[in-house]
Amino acid sequence: MFLFLRFLVPLLFLTQLVCADEMSSNKARSMQAIKELGSSLKSSVQMAMKESGPIGALEYCNVVALDITKELSESLQLTVRRTSLKTRNKKNIPDDWEQKSLSVFTAQYIAGAEIKNMYFHEIVTTNNNDRIYRFIKPIPTGKVCLTCHGSNISSDLAHKIKELYPDDKAVDFKLGHIRGAFSVTIPLD
């Protein structure tokens, strides 16, 4: 029995080290993907806003945002996306894991936690017994976001939002509040 334990304990320790390393490297990959997506979307929307105004930026975002997200996901061999408890695009509706995480973030924010320090990650086994790494980080509402997602949206813009997104719920956000989250999934098997 002693001989068995003598080999089992180091093996368990080694397994924990491998898992911690896997978590750390996938967290770094996720943070990089989020940084790239956030930067790309923000600069694209700001450029469209400058060139075409809020309605043009909305139309641009409607057509291009998901393409930018898909291209980045493919190039990084992971899935990165945006989601929210109040979505504009139906394709961004949170799954159960994201919804629970967003609810926890909201509770933490209300309790005084800073958005910039929030994230959650874990390794999950799917129903198909595939192991995946999940990472989620909230997105704070920036000043530029309020034009289309705030509580004082112009009537022309509100009409265009309703036309492009008939089931829109992504309004009435306040500066600095949680707007949604970036969510990353990395296959491990």
Side-chain angles (χ1 to χ4, degrees):
M1 181 68 161
F2 176 73
L3 187 59
F4 175 72
L5 288 176
R6 192 170 150 197
F7 289 104
L8 181 62
V9 170
L11 183 61
L12 290 173
F13 182 72
L14 182 61
T15 302
Q16 285 181 335
L17 284 177
V18 169
C19 185
D21 185 52
E22 189 173 47
M23 292 288 283
S24 179
S25 66
N26 284 316
K27 176 185 172 190
R29 281 184 70 196
S30 298
M31 295 292 287
Q32 184 61 36
I34 287 168
K35 183 178 178 182
E36 287 182 37
L37 180 60
S39 175
S40 181
L41 291 173
K42 185 176 181 179
S43 64
S44 296
V45 169
Q46 286 177 331
M47 182 185 67
M49 185 83 80
K50 188 180 259 186
E51 290 177 4
S52 308
I55 292 176
L58 179 72
E59 292 171 330
Y60 175 84
C61 194
N62 175 259
V63 173
V64 177
L66 290 175
D67 291 339
I68 291 171
T69 303
K70 182 180 178 188
E71 287 173 17
L72 182 64
S73 292
E74 289 172 357
S75 74
L76 297 176
Q77 298 178 332
L78 49 74
T79 302
V80 60
R81 65 189 231 107
R82 294 171 304 145
T83 188
S84 179
L85 293 175
K86 295 182 354 177
T87 55
R88 175 155 289 165
N89 187 324
K90 289 180 183 182
K91 293 178 181 176
N92 293 335
I93 292 174
D95 63 23
D96 290 342
W97 186 88
E98 292 166 332
Q99 190 164 3
K100 288 176 192 171
S101 299
L102 283 162
S103 295
V104 169
F105 292 150
T106 300
Q108 290 173 335
Y109 178 75
I110 290 169
E114 291 186 48
I115 295 173
K116 69 180 180 178
N117 298 325
M118 293 181 201
Y119 70 90
F120 180 70
H121 65 146
E122 67 179 334
I123 294 175
V124 177
T125 301
T126 68
N127 293 337
N128 299 333
N129 285 325
D130 295 325
R131 288 177 60 245
I132 58 172
Y133 172 82
R134 302 284 315 254
F135 182 94
I136 190 166
K137 182 162 184 52
I139 303 168
T141 304
K143 188 174 181 181
V144 70
C145 305
L146 296 175
T147 303
C148 298
H149 295 285
S151 55
N152 192 19
I153 299 170
S154 74
S155 59
D156 289 348
L157 183 57
H159 177 72
K160 191 62 166 180
I161 291 169
K162 198 68 171 162
E163 177 187 316
L164 295 173
Y165 304 100
D167 299 318
D168 178 47
K169 295 175 182 65
V171 293
D172 296 326
F173 288 99
K174 308 280 186 263
L175 184 64
H177 289 200
I178 294 174
R179 159 74 187 87
F182 289 109
S183 179
V184 178
T185 304
I186 302 174
L188 298 177
D189 295 329

